[in-house]
Amino acid sequence: MIRTVPSTGSEKEILYSALDRHRDVVRWKLEGLDDEQLRRPMTPSGTSMLGLLKHLAAVEYGWFCQTFGRPTEARIDALDARYETDPDADLRVEPEESTADLLAFYARARTAADLAIQETDLDTTGTSWAGRTVSMRWVLVHMVEEVARHAGHLDILRELIDGATGDHPEIQAPAGS
């Protein structure tokens, strides 16, 4: 069912709803594909469906948790250590990483980010990975852009894999209508 962004409400509620709508699309784009399809590099740079999911989990932790001094998990520390020599480590799926593992990683990242969003005022500032001072408002806007951009990439990759397209699941009519 398509999630809609409210046209009225608080600024935070609107921004969060826009983010969460695109997050749901990311998950939906992966449904129904097998492990080989999800891992398959689809571009000359090696972009895969699971690689984009792993990247989105890492940036959820990075922007919402690390920026505001909140806890993450050991996988993020390991990715951070690799960035110096491999800036695309978060986009690459390693042989030992299973589909189930990466789906769970994304779910944990969303949960941690949701808690940070709920507990942090829009004007609260933190320090980004690049050393910039940013507000929660700016991070929410940035992440709506980031997730929407990669949802579009996932849409293209999905079309190349099995021809499926669309930016949201079909709207289901209520039973009995």
Side-chain angles (χ1 to χ4, degrees):
M1 182 75 111
I2 185 172
R3 182 187 303 236
T4 59
V5 176
S7 54
T8 61
S10 72
E11 180 181 9
K12 191 178 205 179
E13 177 186 10
I14 291 168
L15 288 169
Y16 176 76
S17 295
L19 173 64
D20 220 31
R21 179 182 188 278
H22 293 299
R23 289 161 149 185
D24 289 347
V25 169
V26 164
R27 270 295 282 119
W28 171 65
K29 284 294 171 184
L30 280 67
E31 289 178 7
L33 296 177
D34 64 30
D35 189 64
E36 185 280 324
Q37 292 169 316
L38 292 169
R39 289 174 174 276
R40 184 186 312 158
M42 298 298 296
T43 66
S45 65
T47 302
S48 70
M49 303 278 286
L50 273 184
L52 286 171
L53 183 76
K54 181 179 176 181
H55 168 71
L56 287 169
V59 297
E60 290 267 356
Y61 273 124
W63 283 109
F64 289 115
C65 297
Q66 289 176 317
T67 297
F68 296 98
R70 301 179 67 89
T72 61
E73 61 178 83
R75 176 180 255 147
I76 294 299
D77 296 335
L79 284 171
D80 285 349
R82 290 176 55 198
Y83 283 144
E84 299 264 336
T85 58
D86 185 4
D88 293 329
D90 66 329
L91 285 161
R92 193 173 6 281
V93 179
E94 302 300 335
E96 69 276 5
E97 294 177 312
S98 71
T99 296
D101 179 46
L102 291 174
L103 288 169
F105 178 45
Y106 185 63
R108 290 190 308 274
R110 279 182 70 167
T111 298
D114 286 349
L115 189 59
I117 294 165
Q118 291 168 7
E119 294 177 352
T120 308
D121 292 333
L122 290 176
D123 292 324
T124 299
T125 59
T127 304
S128 76
W129 60 271
R132 288 180 45 214
T133 299
V134 294
S135 68
M136 175 57 82
R137 177 183 289 102
W138 185 92
V139 170
L140 275 163
V141 170
H142 173 72
M143 286 300 293
V144 168
E145 295 170 336
E146 177 85 359
V147 177
R149 174 177 171 246
H150 291 310
H153 293 144
L154 287 164
D155 189 43
I156 292 167
L157 297 182
R158 181 68 188 248
E159 182 177 6
L160 291 171
I161 291 170
D162 69 358
T165 62
D167 67 349
H168 57 77
E170 292 300 316
I171 298 174
Q172 301 284 324
S177 60

